Amino acid sequence: MTAKPITLHELPADLHRDRLPQHVAVIMDGNGRWAKNQGLPRIMGHRRGVDTLKDMLRCCKDWGIGALTAYAFSTENWGRPLEEVDFLMTLFERVLRQELREMMEEDVQIQFIGNLSALPHSLQQEITRSVEETRHNKGTQFRVATNYGGRQEILEACRAIATQVQQGHLTPDQIDEAIFERHLYTAGTCDPDLLIRTSGEMRISNFLLWQVAYAEIYVTNALWPDFDRSEFHRALSAYQARDRRFGKLSSARS
Ligand code: IPE
Ligand code: IPE
Ligand code: MG
């Protein structure tokens, strides 16, 4: 665990508690570039990225944000060099093992989204253990997208629904958004209100394609290992300045 920053333990005074996002999703990008800038191997960026994520999770608790979803590994990330993929899988496993006690103390409920069956067996075991042990915790809901792909998630939902139609449990005209959502990895959870991407890239990279339909998107040039509470504060200030119209007219104008 890194030391907590000495400031920003409490919700910054300029943020409105009643207008915080309930659910923040984050594309944690820029670990490799951060390491390169420091003259370090890429894997050191991933290590530092874990510290950033731990503090962001704590920060959600401190500031009263109920759910955090973090993109840890995409279905496309298998295309990276084997050493990096192996390092990440081992890192995920170690972090889960080391952090379980603290997640229990902090009342975090951890869940995973993605195609978990393709992950190394030992990692799957740690995932099952952490999900099982934290399942009754009532604090922050922490979802980790691991071997996650939005297109794959949608395809899996389509297959499951098609099977139900084939078996006569459902007719095509009964398929609506609610039924579709029930077949996504995120079934039963609210959509992200705010999607943060670090490292300046203006893309979604196959993350939560269905669920971000009306998320407010915030992109910062900060690289993920540098994303601290001040950066999060800036993201939340930007979010609170947005006019979420959901296709209707502005509440100020109507
Ligand atoms: C994000 O950082 C972490 C993962 C995708 C696992 P990157 O590893 O993509 O870092 P950059 O984008 O190369 O700097
Ligand atoms: C997105 O980052 C995936 C994760 C953060 C896990 P990438 O670095 O893989 O995305 P691209 O390649 O820049 O789109
Ligand atoms: Mg990247």
Side-chain angles (χ1 to χ4, degrees):
M1 281 276 157
T2 47
K4 282 189 191 183
I6 47 172
T7 54
L8 296 175
H9 274 177
E10 280 164 21
L11 184 69
D14 60 314
L15 293 178
H16 303 276
R17 196 169 288 282
D18 52 347
R19 285 201 283 117
L20 286 172
Q22 287 180 39
H23 179 185
V24 174
V26 59
I27 302 176
M28 311 183 286
D29 198 17
N31 291 350
R33 276 163 281 175
W34 179 90
K36 189 166 178 240
N37 292 346
Q38 315 280 321
L40 296 168
R42 289 178 56 83
I43 58 169
M44 295 305 284
H46 297 315
R47 273 215 184 121
R48 281 297 288 263
V50 171
D51 295 333
T52 302
L53 181 59
K54 285 194 287 197
D55 195 52
M56 188 158 175
L57 182 59
R58 251 192 241 116
C59 189
C60 285
K61 182 184 185 207
D62 292 348
W63 292 1
I65 293 166
L68 176 68
T69 300
Y71 202 6
F73 194 87
S74 73
T75 46
E76 289 72 31
N77 287 149
W78 295 109
R80 294 188 178 200
L82 188 62
E83 312 84 74
E84 182 168 343
V85 171
D86 280 349
F87 178 85
L88 284 167
M89 296 299 150
T90 310
L91 180 70
F92 297 155
E93 194 178 316
R94 200 176 59 227
V95 170
L96 274 179
R97 207 168 22 241
Q98 285 170 355
E99 299 302 320
L100 183 55
R101 194 173 53 89
E102 182 143 353
M103 287 193 289
M104 291 306 290
E105 281 166 16
E106 305 246 333
D107 210 19
V108 170
Q109 186 190 65
I110 193 169
Q111 289 169 338
F112 288 80
I113 55 173
N115 177 8
L116 306 180
S117 64
L119 298 172
H121 185 64
S122 51
L123 174 55
Q124 287 186 48
Q125 283 180 321
E126 284 307 323
I127 287 177
T128 306
R129 192 161 79 103
S130 58
V131 170
E132 283 294 317
E133 290 205 19
T134 65
R135 70 183 315 142
H136 298 299
N137 288 353
K138 296 278 180 282
T140 316
Q141 287 185 7
F142 178 39
R143 254 163 257 126
V144 189
T146 314
N147 192 22
Y148 175 88
R151 288 183 171 183
Q152 188 166 10
E153 177 181 38
I154 289 170
L155 281 176
E156 279 183 28
C158 289
R159 278 190 211 113
I161 294 169
T163 305
Q164 290 194 6
V165 172
Q166 194 179 37
Q167 293 171 345
H169 302 309
L170 206 59
T171 60
D173 53 298
Q174 283 174 321
I175 303 168
D176 58 10
E177 290 189 14
I179 287 182
F180 201 83
E181 270 165 3
R182 282 209 288 278
H183 288 85
L184 296 173
Y185 301 132
T186 51
T189 66
C190 70
D191 288 341
D193 300 297
L194 170 63
L195 172 67
I196 297 173
R197 181 161 188 156
T198 56
S199 89
E201 310 291 358
M202 302 280 187
R203 55 180 173 260
I204 302 289
S205 300
N206 206 11
F207 191 40
L208 299 177
L209 295 181
W210 171 283
Q211 297 86 343
V212 297
Y214 269 102
E216 293 298 325
I217 298 178
Y218 177 86
V219 177
T220 169
N221 286 328
L223 303 172
W224 177 249
D226 291 327
F227 189 88
D228 58 10
R229 289 184 182 219
S230 316
E231 290 285 346
F232 195 23
H233 178 190
R234 268 194 280 282
L236 293 170
S237 299
Y239 171 81
Q240 293 199 334
R242 303 275 177 92
D243 182 13
R244 300 190 76 190
R245 289 189 292 278
F246 297 98
K248 302 176 187 122
L249 298 184
S250 159
S251 48
R253 275 203 252 157
S254 57

